[in-house]
Amino acid sequence: MDSHGGAPTTLIDAIRYFADDDACLAFVANLRWPDGIKCPRCESAEHSFLATRRLWKCKGCKKQFSVKVGTIFEGSPLGLDKWLPALWMIANCKNGISSYELARALGVTQKTAWFMLHRIRLAMQTETFGKIGGEVKVDETFIGGRARFMHKNKRREKIKGTGPMGKAAVIGLLARHGEDGHSTVRAKVVPNTRKKTLGPEVRQYVEAGAEVFTDALKSYSDLSADFVHQVIDHAECYAEGRIHTNEIENFWSLLKRAIKGTYVSVEPFHLFRYLDEQTFRFNTRKMSDGVRFIRTASQIVGKRLTYAALIGGECQTV
Ligand SMILES: [Zn+2]
């Protein structure tokens, strides 16, 4: 890729490129230390490279460090030749990739692939800077709900509150940016779709005075106190002039296709991670695969997900 010195532009390029350990090391080192390699512990720029072990020895704190320290790869025995193609696949597969598919593609166990995918989803998590303004479309949907297949006790524990039986409620906020009208979405799991839940969410993420478009759900009925509230009545008009309801509908349908088609069943406990994944791909949908991959890879630093934190006593999803 032009701006990144011959970085791969297709999956097959990526697999070939990252088959070389030195290419992997240089790629990740350049991304995380664009201004020169620094010790992740003491920030010292004085170090020597131990070529045989692909480690640096810091002259400041005298400790050794690898390119993985302080990234989502920290503590993983797997090589970057597996991590980077995995990152390519989840960044660029429109419907996501299941741990079973990834396990077969990389020759690792399903459990390892599942853990890798969740670590990469952490890198895909969108950093939220401030509130969104302008024209904002707010919508809600329900995900999951396989009550029929659940054990009786589990069903009793899951099915409570409002909303369709056993489904998780998700709020989505879609905002338009710039002249070209490129839109980005934020999505979040919420306990229910009552007014006292949705109202504060909108107020938390949207600037006061912004133009907020919602459907006719009663939970939104008091938004006009803080926003220019426009109600789109689905029964009358599906796509209202300036804000196209079908953009957020498109996001929901991509999300549901990934969750139902690829991941099959997602524990509510982990649902936010799948929202991060789909939101990231949606918000970068105008990028080429190569650029989207670089964007994902540039977000690996300062994030760590341990297996214990990930499972937190819950069962696995695919
Ligand atoms: Zn150091």
Side-chain angles (χ1 to χ4, degrees):
M1 211 170 50
D2 344 306
S3 58
H4 295 278
T9 55
T10 64
L11 173 60
I12 189 75
D13 273 358
I15 290 167
R16 285 196 189 116
Y17 188 92
F18 297 123
D20 179 65
D21 290 338
D22 291 327
C24 289
L25 185 71
F27 176 81
V28 177
N30 286 335
L31 268 182
R32 66 173 301 188
W33 295 301
D35 304 318
I37 296 161
K38 278 194 190 133
C39 170
R41 289 186 191 85
C42 72
E43 300 274 299
S44 167
E46 299 286 306
H47 42 70
S48 53
F49 184 60
L50 312 169
T52 49
R53 303 185 56 212
R54 292 195 173 80
L55 292 173
W56 289 269
K57 182 164 186 198
C58 173
K59 291 187 178 163
C61 66
K62 313 281 182 214
K63 296 220 164 76
Q64 294 179 357
F65 60 92
S66 78
V67 79
K68 291 178 177 173
V69 172
T71 73
I72 59 162
F73 307 140
E74 184 169 346
S76 168
L78 288 175
L80 295 173
D81 60 329
K82 287 194 163 58
W83 269 110
L84 294 168
L87 204 138
W88 181 285
M89 284 189 267
I90 191 166
N92 292 321
C93 292
K94 290 274 173 293
N95 296 331
I97 178 164
S98 79
S99 55
Y100 292 96
E101 291 171 275
L102 187 68
R104 286 196 304 273
L106 298 182
V108 298
T109 66
Q110 181 266 334
K111 187 174 167 182
T112 295
W114 181 81
F115 186 25
M116 291 174 84
L117 287 170
H118 276 310
R119 292 210 223 181
I120 299 169
R121 287 184 187 106
L122 183 64
M124 295 169 97
Q125 203 168 68
T126 311
E127 320 257 337
T128 47
F129 300 106
K131 294 186 173 190
I132 47 179
E135 295 176 351
V136 183
K137 173 79 176 80
V138 179
D139 198 16
E140 72 296 322
T141 195
F142 292 93
I143 304 285
R146 293 162 65 83
R148 280 189 305 140
F149 306 110
M150 278 180 201
H151 184 267
K152 188 170 68 177
N153 294 336
K154 198 167 179 186
R155 193 162 62 209
R156 197 174 298 140
E157 151 206 330
K158 301 239 178 231
I159 299 171
K160 50 192 171 196
T162 57
M165 298 275 277
K167 294 195 174 205
V170 176
I171 187 171
L173 300 98
L174 182 136
R176 287 285 184 83
H177 306 280
E179 299 268 300
D180 64 350
H182 178 62
S183 53
T184 57
V185 78
R186 290 185 191 181
K188 185 179 174 185
V189 180
V190 285
N192 54 60
T193 58
R194 294 189 195 123
K195 188 185 284 185
K196 65 173 190 203
T197 305
L198 297 186
E201 292 295 336
V202 177
R203 288 180 183 90
Q204 184 184 344
Y205 294 111
V206 184
E207 284 171 8
E211 205 169 0
V212 173
F213 296 73
T214 69
D215 56 26
L217 189 74
K218 283 203 171 57
S219 304
Y220 299 121
S221 62
D222 65 349
L223 291 180
S224 54
D226 299 290
F227 308 99
V228 179
H229 185 205
Q230 313 275 17
V231 176
I232 299 169
D233 189 342
H234 289 278
E236 283 181 9
C237 163
Y238 200 71
E240 183 108 336
R242 286 170 300 159
I243 275 277
H244 297 283
T245 305
N246 51 21
E247 281 178 325
I248 193 129
E249 296 298 339
N250 180 31
F251 174 74
W252 294 140
S253 78
L254 285 165
L255 175 67
K256 288 177 183 185
R257 202 179 306 156
I259 288 178
K260 280 189 198 157
T262 306
Y263 300 119
V264 187
S265 138
V266 166
E267 288 287 326
F269 176 70
H270 290 303
L271 180 57
F272 74 96
R273 301 184 192 283
Y274 297 86
L275 294 182
D276 288 339
E277 174 194 328
Q278 198 64 46
T279 301
F280 177 86
R281 276 197 304 265
F282 185 84
N283 292 344
T284 57
R285 67 197 179 280
K286 299 208 171 155
M287 293 177 184
S288 67
D289 285 4
V291 175
R292 189 180 304 105
F293 166 72
I294 300 269
R295 168 66 71 87
T296 315
S298 69
Q299 298 185 176
I300 59 168
V301 182
K303 294 175 177 173
R304 192 154 184 223
L305 180 64
T306 63
Y307 195 72
L310 176 60
I311 56 172
E314 291 276 326
C315 18
Q316 287 195 15
T317 49
V318 297

